[in-house]
Amino acid sequence: MPVRRSLKALFACSVAGASIVLAALPPAHAVDGPAPNPQNKQAMRDMATAIRVTAKYVDEQAALKDGYVPHGEACMSNPFGVGSMGYHYVKQANWGSKDPAKPTALLYSYEKDRKGRRKLQTVEWMSTDRDQDLKTTDDRPSMFGLPFDGPMPGHWAGMPKHYDLHMWAYEKNPAGRFHNWNPALPCPNKPPKVPGAAASSSTSMHEHGH
């Protein structure tokens, strides 16, 4: 099969897969966690746009090619409870975006398949906290009719205090489609950290941040 036809077929399958994922997920009003008002037509359109645009990133190599770069820990555990979230692949050009077609980050699974590929799980938008003060929230962004989580400290060197919003578009989250942590996806056992090494950062982290 010619390369062009092969790529077209792959893209068509990705889009079809995204439609299936959106249809298979529970209605927004049926989840326990934060969710858009199903009567909010703009929010529903924006959700569909986000999935349509990110469908091609089920192929991890497509994300890397488009400028999404791995950042932080491959598996980040919830310091305030159960669960984890995916491995962050960040596109710096989309930092601060509130455009459903331009997510800041794609979150992939910690585990890889037999061919060494990670699974796309989540789409995320991130925005800098304007005054870098965790006590103020007057600049909190919103999308899909939902407020971003935060503000919270950065999670790797050079990352500012920020707000973020997750959308579990490619993996079911029993806590809710827009909840940041997924209690069904615990990180594998890790060696214990050096006592006191992360105490200051953990205690200052916003309870609902990651």
Side-chain angles (χ1 to χ4, degrees):
M1 180 184 292
V3 173
R4 181 174 298 178
R5 287 179 60 193
S6 178
L7 291 174
K8 285 183 178 179
L10 176 61
F11 179 74
C13 290
S14 297
V15 173
S19 299
I20 292 171
V21 168
L22 185 58
L25 287 170
H29 62 282
V31 297
D32 294 328
N37 183 342
Q39 302 304 317
N40 184 336
K41 294 182 180 180
Q42 185 60 55
M44 299 300 106
R45 284 194 293 267
D46 287 347
M47 289 172 64
T49 294
I51 293 181
R52 174 178 54 80
V53 170
T54 58
K56 65 179 179 178
Y57 299 131
V58 295
D59 177 0
E60 183 185 3
Q61 292 302 312
L64 294 170
K65 182 178 179 180
D66 281 0
Y68 285 93
V69 179
H71 276 285
E73 300 177 42
C75 188
M76 192 178 294
S77 292
N78 182 358
F80 303 102
V82 298
S84 68
M85 61 177 60
Y87 191 4
H88 294 71
Y89 285 46
V90 177
K91 185 170 184 175
Q92 197 61 37
N94 290 355
W95 183 271
S97 167
K98 290 183 282 294
D99 182 341
K102 295 180 179 180
T104 308
L106 306 170
L107 277 62
Y108 287 85
S109 63
Y110 168 77
E111 304 229 351
K112 298 179 181 181
D113 65 16
R114 289 180 297 178
K115 295 184 178 180
R117 299 170 300 191
R118 299 182 190 273
K119 177 186 177 184
L120 178 60
Q121 298 180 149
T122 319
V123 183
E124 181 179 7
W125 293 263
M126 298 175 173
S127 180
T128 299
D129 177 25
R130 185 174 57 228
D131 61 7
Q132 293 294 284
D133 184 347
L134 298 178
K135 301 184 186 68
T136 62
T137 60
D138 58 299
D139 60 335
R140 184 189 303 280
S142 64
M143 286 183 68
F144 312 109
L146 298 174
F148 278 42
D149 290 310
M152 65 196 78
H155 312 309
W156 47 80
M159 187 180 190
K161 297 180 179 71
H162 65 286
Y163 299 91
D164 63 33
L165 183 67
H166 298 74
M167 176 180 169
W168 290 80
Y170 297 91
E171 181 73 30
K172 183 177 180 180
N173 185 345
R177 193 181 303 169
F178 287 86
H179 197 278
N180 41 21
W181 300 101
N182 191 325
L185 298 175
C187 285
N189 293 330
K190 294 182 178 181
K193 295 181 179 180
V194 177
S200 59
S201 61
S202 295
T203 54
S204 64
M205 191 178 295
H206 188 275
E207 181 173 354
H208 298 293
H210 57 272

